[in-house]
Amino acid sequence: MSEEKEKKVRIVAELKNPLPDNRISLDSHFDIIKAYVVASNNGKTPAGYKELAPFIKIDSTLVSGCNKFFENIGIITKSEGGKYLPTENTIELFNALQWKNEELIKKTLQKILESTWFWIQTKQYLTVNESA
């Protein structure tokens, strides 16, 4: 009798919206954002995730894993050849972080986040559930 090997099937659900990579910290996400601004020369030259290595100590595959989320929420925009450019708001956020200007950081983050799917969902939830 021959034994048939059972094939393992991996089921991957496709998300409606990309999520941030939970394998890296929030601080590392900000490091990636800053690195895109620096590597792109303040948005003048598209930068690929592999070009960020000199600026941060995060594996390029982890950086790559953040790109869909960052693009979805308006942190970066896709350019030619799999490269990205930081948005104007991202460059403004980078400058606010460099200057440690908390008020400008909050204002810029609000501009970036208020049009994201997760903020819209949260706002709807809070509107319906005022006591939450």
Side-chain angles (χ1 to χ4, degrees):
M1 247 196 251
S2 67
E3 291 183 28
E4 289 185 34
K5 290 185 179 180
E6 193 174 311
K7 290 185 179 180
K8 292 184 180 182
V9 177
R10 182 175 176 209
I11 299 172
V12 179
E14 190 170 325
L15 298 174
K16 182 178 177 183
N17 295 296
L19 297 172
D21 195 318
N22 66 353
R23 296 174 293 172
I24 57 176
S25 69
L26 179 61
D27 287 340
S28 293
H29 281 89
F30 277 105
D31 289 343
I32 294 168
I33 291 167
K34 290 186 235 178
Y36 265 116
V37 175
V38 172
S40 70
N41 193 23
N42 287 318
K44 294 179 181 105
T45 307
Y49 66 92
K50 291 180 181 177
E51 296 167 46
L52 305 186
F55 305 104
I56 53 177
K57 293 178 179 159
I58 301 171
D59 185 83
S60 62
T61 58
L62 292 175
V63 174
S64 174
C66 296
N67 286 343
K68 282 187 182 182
F69 175 70
F70 286 157
E71 184 180 12
N72 182 264
I73 66 169
I75 297 287
I76 56 177
T77 57
K78 195 173 256 187
S79 189
E80 74 275 348
K83 295 186 176 194
Y84 295 87
L85 286 168
T87 61
E88 287 182 34
N89 284 334
T90 304
I91 295 167
E92 186 177 326
L93 177 62
F94 170 79
N95 290 328
L97 290 166
Q98 293 300 102
W99 300 326
K100 297 183 176 152
N101 182 333
E102 277 194 48
E103 198 59 39
L104 186 56
I105 292 168
K106 290 176 187 176
K107 184 179 174 183
T108 307
L109 277 173
Q110 180 182 356
K111 282 195 289 187
I112 292 169
L113 298 177
E114 69 188 357
S115 63
T116 62
W117 61 268
F118 52 86
W119 174 246
I120 293 168
Q121 293 292 321
T122 302
K123 189 175 177 183
Q124 290 171 349
Y125 175 82
L126 293 174
T127 300
V128 171
N129 300 291
E130 289 183 34
S131 62

